[in-house]
Amino acid sequence: MSGALDVMQVAGSGATVLVAEMVKSGWESLRGAMARLFRRGGEENAEVELRLLDAARQRLADSPASERADVARQLRQELLIQLAAFLQKFPDAAEDLQELVKRTGSQEEASSATLVAENNTNSQVILSGGSISTAGGSFTYQAPERPDSRG
């Protein structure tokens, strides 16, 4: 990958994924992948880069909920600069970072649920994080009766 535009694009995608993943349960896995990426610059360089990454995550985690979006936006900019500088020094890492961004995005898409409930007048939608079962093997729900509006 050559050219400043490519590096900036990859760094921007990387920064976006990093900030999004910082507050999720899969952070340690992503951090480990970033550590491997940063080791392309040597062990000492990797430690410095990871300290910056950890400090950014801590800032996001410590930020009040009302300020979290602003902190996340600021961190995306800072991480963009950090990743772009790293990729300028180690351009061979750009493909690895790009692959990591794709892999993380596809994992997120695969693990997220989508619900669409259309044209369900007089019905109820039930969401479950797991299976719903009953002893009899069937599930029946009757909507509450409406009060008689005839007066």
Side-chain angles (χ1 to χ4, degrees):
M1 275 215 164
S2 62
L5 182 60
D6 291 339
V7 167
M8 293 305 287
Q9 185 176 7
V10 173
S13 297
T16 299
V17 165
L18 285 170
V19 171
E21 295 294 316
M22 282 180 172
V23 292
K24 294 182 181 178
S25 60
W27 169 250
E28 287 303 319
S29 174
L30 181 59
R31 185 189 184 279
M34 291 304 296
R36 287 187 294 281
L37 181 85
F38 289 144
R39 283 193 191 102
R40 287 176 163 256
E43 200 62 41
E44 190 175 313
N45 185 63
E47 287 178 27
V48 170
E49 298 288 353
L50 287 172
R51 269 197 303 272
L52 292 170
L53 202 56
D54 290 337
R57 180 176 186 253
Q58 194 61 50
R59 276 181 42 211
L60 185 62
D62 291 346
S63 66
S66 62
E67 298 173 14
R68 192 153 296 143
D70 289 334
V71 172
R73 198 170 15 263
Q74 185 177 20
L75 289 176
R76 270 192 298 276
Q77 286 299 313
E78 291 173 14
L79 290 170
L80 171 106
I81 293 166
Q82 178 185 356
L83 292 173
F86 180 81
L87 294 176
Q88 289 287 340
K89 291 184 267 183
F90 307 100
D92 292 344
E95 287 182 33
D96 292 342
L97 180 58
Q98 190 171 34
E99 184 58 37
L100 181 61
V101 167
K102 284 180 188 176
R103 194 170 63 236
T104 302
S106 65
Q107 287 172 354
E108 187 171 309
E109 288 172 12
S111 68
S112 66
T114 302
L115 171 70
V116 177
E118 295 176 344
N119 301 318
N120 62 337
T121 305
N122 294 326
S123 65
Q124 187 163 10
V125 177
I126 298 172
L127 283 176
S128 172
S131 64
I132 298 176
S133 61
T134 63
S138 66
F139 185 87
T140 305
Y141 176 82
Q142 185 173 350
E145 290 185 29
R146 293 183 178 181
D148 193 0
S149 61
R150 286 182 262 160

